[in-house]
Amino acid sequence: EAGVAQSPRYKIIEKRQSVAFWCNPISGHATLYWYQQILGQGPKLLIQFQNNGVVDDSQLPKDRFSAERLKGVDSTLKIQPAKLEDSAVYLCASTPSGGAPDTQYFGPGTRLTVL
Amino acid sequence: SQQGEEDPQALSIQEGENATMNCSYKTSINNLQWYRQNSGRGLVHLILIRSNEREKHSGRLRVTLDTSKKSSSLLITASRAADTASYFCATEQGGKLIFGQGTELSVKP
């Protein structure tokens, strides 16, 4: 079974530029999560999708971050414009069902550096 | 906001020794999970313990949960160099996981 795929693995941009990350969850997984992990900290949930609907985006900085999962499969997370404090690893995870997250399956992450 | 606080922040041991990491949390939980993260990689689920369980084993891992103290511990027995990683506890609340800051474990050969 293929795991969660993410691209790119690394991205370096200047502040005020835009960037997009892509995630393809495990086939059949209805729930998809985007996390932000700042160096030295645990992952922080940004947004949770159930199929193509948003379940929780309470911690997503909506003035600059956006995410979509139009067909309920893969997802993109965008930052526009980026700030220095957005430097982090962006992790995507998925689970089979929409219930309580017993086990989340994580992708390798995208490491973003904002200069 | 971070729910779990982990202790110690960093731990360095010799191969063959046991490693114990602790996690404390603030509110009621449905379950508590432990994840491992190797440098530059995604997180891997290790073990889940439900709020009505007190202890769980998986291979060289032993997890305990004390809901009265709102704390959990992860014990790795007979550690190996390959166990070097960051370990995170995560509590499930309202259908989402909230991660702690992590313990960085270094196992020296």
Side-chain angles (χ1 to χ4, degrees):
Chain A
E1 175 182 79
V4 176
Q6 288 189 250
S7 67
R9 289 295 311 277
Y10 306 91
K11 190 73 177 178
I12 300 174
I13 61 173
E14 302 276 339
K15 60 183 178 184
R16 290 187 290 272
Q17 285 187 324
S18 301
V19 65
F21 313 126
W22 175 81
C23 171
N24 194 21
I26 292 173
S27 178
H29 280 198
T31 308
L32 184 148
Y33 310 82
W34 282 102
Y35 289 88
Q36 179 192 59
Q37 186 178 22
I38 292 171
L39 186 65
Q41 298 183 17
K44 183 185 84 171
L45 179 68
L46 292 175
I47 189 167
Q48 176 184 345
F49 290 96
Q50 172 71 15
N51 296 309
N52 62 350
V54 175
V55 174
D56 184 343
D57 64 356
S58 57
Q59 297 193 92
L60 186 73
K62 297 180 187 65
D63 57 334
R64 298 184 302 107
F65 286 65
S66 64
E68 60 184 15
R69 194 185 184 200
L70 293 175
K71 296 181 180 178
V73 180
D74 57 347
S75 175
T76 55
L77 175 69
K78 296 179 182 176
I79 307 175
Q80 180 179 3
K83 293 185 175 181
L84 296 177
E85 59 261 36
D86 298 332
S87 292
V89 176
Y90 291 84
L91 295 163
C92 179
S94 68
T95 56
S97 70
D102 273 3
T103 299
Q104 293 193 13
Y105 298 85
F106 282 81
T110 296
R111 184 177 297 276
L112 173 67
T113 302
V114 182
L115 303 176
Chain B
S1 62
Q2 299 285 350
Q3 160 73 324
E5 293 187 6
E6 294 176 67
D7 170 56
Q9 288 190 331
L11 179 61
S12 182
I13 59 174
Q14 294 294 131
E15 212 167 21
E17 293 180 339
N18 295 341
T20 300
M21 289 159 266
N22 303 296
C23 169
S24 60
Y25 56 92
K26 297 186 175 74
T27 62
S28 296
I29 61 172
N30 296 322
N31 66 59
L32 186 144
Q33 305 177 35
W34 286 89
Y35 285 79
R36 183 186 73 227
Q37 185 177 37
N38 290 91
S39 179
R41 308 288 293 275
L43 281 79
V44 174
H45 181 263
L46 294 176
I47 195 165
L48 177 152
I49 186 165
R50 301 196 185 277
S51 58
N52 61 353
E53 297 176 308
R54 291 296 166 258
E55 187 171 312
K56 205 160 183 179
H57 297 252
S58 177
R60 294 184 295 113
L61 305 180
R62 181 173 79 100
V63 169
T64 61
L65 179 65
D66 187 335
T67 52
S68 66
K69 295 181 180 177
K70 292 187 169 56
S71 67
S72 174
S73 67
L74 171 67
L75 168 67
I76 304 174
T77 60
S79 64
R80 305 166 182 168
D83 294 328
T84 294
S86 293
Y87 291 82
F88 295 90
C89 68
T91 52
E92 191 265 305
Q93 296 177 67
K96 63 183 182 185
L97 286 184
I98 300 179
F99 287 84
Q101 301 271 37
T103 293
E104 195 172 321
L105 174 65
S106 174
V107 182
K108 301 186 188 313

